[in-house]
Amino acid sequence: MLPVERRKWIKEWIRNQHNMKISELSDRLGVSEMTVHRDIKPLVEEGVVVKTFGGITLVRERMGNETASDECVYCNKKNHETLVFRLILPNDKIESACCGHCGLLRYKQLGDKVIQAVCRDFLRHTTISAAQATFVMDTGLDISCCQPQVLTFEHRTDAEKFVKGFGGAVLSLPEAVEQLDLKMNVRDDARK
């Protein structure tokens, strides 16, 4: 089967199922997982799907200025108001991610299209600018969301105190985006 035919099948399946694992696509298509990764790359670039941990997810249609539902724009999990990460885009469009992990991945994906990113302080639950926030990654506290976990803090001193008790690394926005990207690429490489 040609790559264009495989991509056609992947598009059809993902529209029906919304989420699929790379291993499942590999089995269905009868090709290696590496071939699946090559096949989905153009679909990611077109904005049809996003890569998730071990698979792909359909990019949902938006309704008005907010996401189509209370689900994460990146992984489709239910958004938790205490962890939500919002991206403000041109034409007053707003995308919501379930947590800092998905918010940072989508932030990197959208690049210059993001006018502003806002998130919630993990301790105080106040809304803060992601550009001014401090991020904690690799903490021992399990918040039952996406991995690797990313927590956001308004004050660096709060983040540093949190890390003393629960471990992790204290990062700025650019550092957090870079570290998360590295960790996600290492995980993808390990699966190939």
Side-chain angles (χ1 to χ4, degrees), residues 138-141 161-168:
D138 296 325
T139 178
L141 179 69
K161 289 175 186 175
F162 183 86
V163 166
K164 283 183 181 177
F166 294 101

Side-chain angles (χ1 to χ4, degrees), residues 126-178:
T126 56
T127 302
I128 56 176
S129 167
Q132 303 301 314
T134 300
F135 298 84
V136 171
M137 195 177 300
D138 296 325
T139 178
L141 179 69
D142 184 6
I143 60 169
S144 299
C145 208
C146 304
Q147 297 290 330
Q149 295 179 141
V150 178
L151 305 179
T152 56
F153 295 85
E154 182 175 12
H155 303 288
R156 187 172 187 89
T157 54
D158 288 345
E160 290 167 346
K161 289 175 186 175
F162 183 86
V163 166
K164 283 183 181 177
F166 294 101
V170 177
L171 307 164
S172 66
L173 175 62
E175 293 168 334
V177 170
E178 180 182 344

